[in-house]
Amino acid sequence: MKNIAVIGCGHGGQALAGHLALLGLSVNLYAHPNHLGGIHIVNSKGGIDCQGAVEGFGKLNIITTDLNLAVKDTEIIFICLPVVAHESIFINLLPFLKENHIVVNLSAQFSGIFQKEILNRSNWDKNIIIADVTSFPYACRSESPGQANIVSIKQSMGLASFNHNLSSEVANILNNFFPSNLRVMSSFVEVGLYDPCGVTHPSNVLFNAGRIGNNLEFYFYKDGITKETASFLEKLDYERIEIGNKLNLNLPKFYEVMNEYYNLSFKNIYDFYKFSPIHNKKTFCPMAINHRYITEDVPYSLVPWLTIGEQLGVKCSAMRNIIEISSVLNNTNYFEKGRIIRESHLREFHKCG
């Protein structure tokens, strides 16, 4: 039986911890002392009530705000935090990692590149394995602390580590229990370009800024889209795919990614938004413009995509427009705050597979 640490007690962390515990794994759940989420109630219950696509009570081994205790005697660590915290939590983890520890970034958005740089700068002498995964395995919400409503489970996602052999090894280990089938991708760069959040979230927030700013709840997907805005999303997706083509990556279209994740069969972005039975079960509506759909997906998806594209000669006007408008509305320079993928990153990590 694998010993697992889940870092993060939000929607995704609670869902993953509860589900893995139900599958018979020994699971430790960690919440940062400054970001407790619902960990006190989880602790009082002793685990997570899972509902929806997964039913049952997942009893946890350890529930803690002590990072050392959370990862002690574990083999695999899943980072289930907002991407803004992926580097800082990795730095905090370093003193407690052991030889061959596997650290998995869910919805990684290029995190493996920057964590590997942290390892290089620290002259770390232990063999620490980092793996990036394209997304979280669930569409889910924690309706209340200690309760995870798992709306749906993604069928398949991508994974990459430092090289192809290591990626295959990690995927084989995780596929023994992970909720989604993990298939090996070429590199951290491919994983980062594959993630669909940068296509769908920021633009639709901006196109519905009036509704959101006036606190009008609506269905983010079926109510938030028009044929005109879907056309813009297709342009944004085209730029992402062109970047992939320059790197000899055959990236699927946005709706093809969603079809793969959820066993759907849509033919375009508009139909996906309007008719996805999974994404329209709940409103999934942001309550402010400074929601993670902007504050994470602009600096950690769109900015790195743009920086790669500009190096490769791809004209990314749609990406740049969304970054600029988001920066103005949130009074934040996302070009400066975002992840910059440099030529050295492409040399080292694009070919790591």
Side-chain angles (χ1 to χ4, degrees):
M1 180 172 67
K2 296 293 183 184
N3 296 319
I4 306 295
V6 173
I7 307 300
C9 193
H11 301 294
Q14 290 188 52
L16 183 65
H19 191 187
L20 294 185
L22 280 168
L23 293 174
L25 284 81
S26 176
V27 181
N28 300 342
L29 179 63
Y30 168 83
H32 192 280
N34 296 335
H35 302 280
L36 294 173
I39 198 162
H40 292 316
I41 294 177
V42 175
N43 193 40
S44 68
K45 290 183 173 184
I48 307 290
D49 283 308
C50 294
Q51 300 176 353
V54 176
E55 294 279 349
F57 180 77
K59 182 175 174 55
L60 302 180
N61 179 47
I62 293 173
I63 303 160
T64 183
T65 58
D66 183 328
L67 193 57
N68 184 21
L69 181 61
V71 303
K72 185 179 180 181
D73 298 325
T74 64
E75 300 152 273
I76 301 164
I77 299 168
F78 288 103
I79 296 183
C80 300
L81 296 171
V83 65
V84 297
H86 282 193
E87 290 169 65
S88 60
I89 195 65
F90 187 76
I91 292 170
N92 292 339
L93 278 168
L94 277 179
F96 312 124
L97 296 178
K98 64 184 182 183
E99 188 77 12
N100 293 321
H101 235 137
I102 300 173
V103 179
V104 182
N105 298 299
L106 297 179
S107 195
Q109 296 172 295
F110 303 97
S111 288
I113 290 175
F114 296 91
Q115 291 171 345
K116 181 62 163 60
E117 287 190 328
I118 291 168
L119 279 179
N120 293 343
R121 290 195 302 268
S122 67
N123 295 315
W124 202 247
D125 59 354
K126 296 178 183 177
N127 182 40
I128 305 303
I129 302 166
I130 299 170
D132 279 2
V133 175
T134 54
S135 184
F136 271 87
Y138 314 107
C140 64
R141 282 293 182 270
S142 178
E143 306 290 356
S144 61
Q147 184 180 82
N149 185 351
I150 299 174
V151 177
S152 184
I153 302 173
K154 293 182 175 73
Q155 301 295 305
S156 175
M157 297 192 298
L159 174 145
S161 186
F162 301 139
N163 57 62
H164 189 274
N165 289 338
L166 195 55
S167 299
S168 297
E169 181 182 332
V170 173
N172 288 336
I173 292 170
L174 297 186
N175 277 331
N176 287 314
F177 62 86
F178 196 71
S180 307
N181 179 63
L182 294 170
R183 59 183 180 84
V184 173
M185 290 186 166
S186 63
S187 66
F188 293 141
V189 172
E190 183 177 11
V191 169
L193 286 167
Y194 196 93
D195 175 47
C197 291
V199 174
T200 179
H201 289 160
S203 300
N204 215 41
V205 169
L206 298 186
F207 294 146
N208 289 279
R211 282 173 164 173
I212 295 168
N214 286 314
N215 298 316
L216 300 178
E217 187 171 9
F218 62 99
Y219 281 83
F220 183 73
Y221 290 89
K222 67 181 179 181
D223 293 339
I225 198 75
T226 67
K227 289 186 176 180
E228 292 78 12
T229 57
S231 178
F232 182 89
L233 294 179
E234 288 172 354
K235 168 62 175 172
L236 186 61
D237 199 34
Y238 172 81
E239 293 175 357
R240 179 185 66 90
I241 292 169
E242 278 298 294
I243 292 168
N245 288 339
K246 291 286 187 177
L247 294 169
N248 295 316
L249 299 173
N250 185 25
L251 298 176
K253 295 178 180 178
F254 165 80
Y255 63 84
E256 293 172 334
V257 175
M258 305 314 290
N259 287 343
E260 175 192 3
Y261 279 172
Y262 296 108
N263 194 28
L264 300 172
S265 56
F266 293 110
K267 301 298 183 183
N268 55 64
I269 289 177
Y270 179 79
D271 286 348
F272 161 75
Y273 258 79
K274 281 293 186 185
F275 304 114
S276 171
I278 295 158
H279 297 80
N280 291 310
K281 275 187 179 180
K282 294 182 176 295
T283 61
F284 293 111
C285 177
M287 300 310 293
I289 299 298
N290 62 348
H291 186 271
R292 65 179 178 84
Y293 287 175
I294 295 287
T295 60
E296 292 180 27
D297 294 332
V298 170
Y300 292 93
S301 280
L302 290 184
V303 170
W305 293 354
L306 178 69
T307 59
I308 296 172
E310 289 184 337
Q311 291 178 66
L312 301 175
V314 179
K315 186 177 180 181
C316 301
S317 57
M319 288 183 191
R320 178 169 287 278
N321 287 338
I322 294 300
I323 298 168
E324 288 177 344
I325 296 169
S326 300
S327 296
V328 171
L329 290 184
N330 281 339
N331 194 29
T332 301
N333 188 334
Y334 288 119
F335 293 102
E336 292 181 355
K337 187 176 181 180
R339 281 182 167 165
I340 306 300
I341 305 298
R342 297 180 174 83
E343 183 183 356
S344 59
H345 292 144
L346 293 179
R347 284 200 307 271
E348 180 175 359
F349 295 104
H350 172 49
K351 297 298 184 183
C352 72

